[in-house]
Amino acid sequence: MREAIDDGGARVVIYMGGDGTFAEVAKGIFASHHARDVAMGMLPTGTANDQGKSFGLSAGSGALARNVEVIAAGEVVGCDVGRLVIERGDRTIHRDLFFDSFSIGLGAASLETRNRDRERVGRIPGLGALYRDQLVYAGAVLQRFVEGYVVDIKFDVDAVIDGTVHHFEHVLDIIVKNTKIFGGEWIFDPRTESDDGKVRARAGHRPARLRHQADRYPAPQPGRRRRPQLLGFSHASAISGARFELTVRSATLPAAQCDGEELPAGERYRIEAGLAPCG
């Protein structure tokens, strides 16, 4: 990627894939000497395609023609980047960038399960064509979700967000998001703007009875997206900010991920949000 930009003179880079592919290509652009001069074109074809859907693009082969038209028209929007530092004790164990989401807890653990299940299913002839994409991810979430009734997977987080202290107790996950769509379906926060220099965090709480939740949250009207309560758990209101310090209090460190890629679990996570030089 760097060679194509720095040596080949590329100033438009087009990717085809999911949120993880978006992140890898964007990191390659950042690593070049001409990051501010390069625009990225999006052809979303991944599992959830949160990034593409948040920018108003459809996913898959059927949407290819329109997405190419958007790129050809030169329509560009800004995208913030989250700079992430993971620490254990007094050591920094990992540094990364994310453009769509970072999370610790249930969602990240589900990603681990999804990757394992996808590998297993791929070994069975014919089954991989059926059990794939969002279906395999939904199966992984369900597995981890059921564990929440059997094994105590809750943890506590002390968060400092733009200097204000917040305490999240007995949570299943913490999600930090830069765009509106999460998991391919859920509108994380309708106030989200991808280029406002901030990201937003929400804490997910203990599973509740599915029947109770289904009664409380009926099926949505056409064109509206279901809320995550139908999965049996609820999320607190989103808190926006540009600087985050999240300290986990748990006997076992929960799993972590950013943009669909597994990360080493840490005791403390530092995040700084800012506008990326690529659109």
Side-chain angles (χ1 to χ4, degrees), residues 3-270:
E3 291 78 5
I5 296 172
D6 292 338
D7 300 334
R11 293 298 178 264
V12 176
V13 177
I14 302 172
Y15 86 95
M16 177 179 288
D19 299 330
T21 306
F22 180 105
E24 290 305 311
V25 173
K27 291 174 189 177
I29 294 174
F30 266 101
S32 75
H33 296 299
H34 301 278
R36 295 187 178 278
D37 303 320
V38 178
M40 185 193 300
M42 304 177 68
L43 298 175
T45 58
T47 301
N49 297 296
D50 292 343
Q51 198 87 347
K53 290 178 181 177
S54 295
F55 288 122
L57 300 177
S58 299
S61 58
L64 185 60
R66 177 182 179 272
N67 293 341
V68 169
E69 289 177 0
V70 171
I71 295 172
E75 299 183 28
V76 179
V77 295
C79 179
D80 294 326
V81 58
R83 294 171 174 84
L84 173 67
V85 177
I86 305 177
E87 300 174 345
R88 286 185 195 163
D90 58 357
R91 293 190 306 114
T92 295
I93 63 170
H94 187 75
R95 295 178 183 272
D96 218 322
L97 303 176
F98 69 92
F99 301 83
D100 182 71
S101 70
F102 159 77
S103 70
I104 52 179
L106 178 66
S110 299
L111 178 68
E112 292 179 350
T113 302
R114 182 204 70 176
N115 292 343
R116 181 198 65 201
D117 290 352
R118 187 163 56 184
E119 181 180 354
R120 290 176 177 174
V121 168
R123 300 172 187 165
I124 304 173
L127 185 56
L130 299 174
Y131 190 55
R132 54 178 298 190
D133 298 335
Q134 283 192 276
L135 183 59
V136 69
Y137 183 71
V141 172
L142 181 59
Q143 291 180 56
R144 291 291 187 168
F145 172 71
V146 170
E147 289 178 8
Y149 287 95
V150 180
V151 180
D152 188 1
I153 58 175
K154 303 185 304 295
F155 57 95
D156 300 336
V157 173
D158 298 324
V160 181
I161 303 175
D162 285 351
T164 301
V165 178
H166 304 265
H167 299 288
F168 303 108
E169 297 183 345
H170 311 302
V171 299
L172 287 172
D173 62 7
I174 298 286
I175 304 170
V176 180
K177 198 81 168 68
N178 181 43
T179 56
K180 288 184 179 180
I181 305 298
F182 183 76
E185 293 294 333
W186 174 32
I187 298 179
F188 187 80
D189 184 353
R191 301 167 299 174
T192 300
E193 297 293 340
S194 66
D195 58 353
D196 60 2
K198 296 182 178 181
V199 291
R200 287 156 177 79
R202 298 184 79 157
H205 296 282
R206 189 66 177 166
R209 291 183 179 274
L210 287 175
R211 181 178 297 276
H212 168 75
Q213 294 295 344
D215 291 343
R216 189 174 174 192
Y217 298 97
Q221 298 298 317
R224 298 186 64 184
R225 300 182 186 274
R226 287 182 181 271
R227 294 174 60 86
Q229 284 87 344
L230 285 178
L231 294 177
F233 59 96
S234 61
H235 279 80
S237 298
I239 303 173
S240 65
R243 294 178 181 272
F244 289 66
E245 181 180 312
L246 307 176
T247 302
V248 177
R249 291 187 282 114
S250 175
T252 302
L253 293 177
Q257 70 84 30
C258 72
D259 288 342
E261 301 299 325
E262 298 176 42
L263 299 176
E267 297 172 351
R268 186 164 47 257
Y269 300 87
R270 301 182 189 275

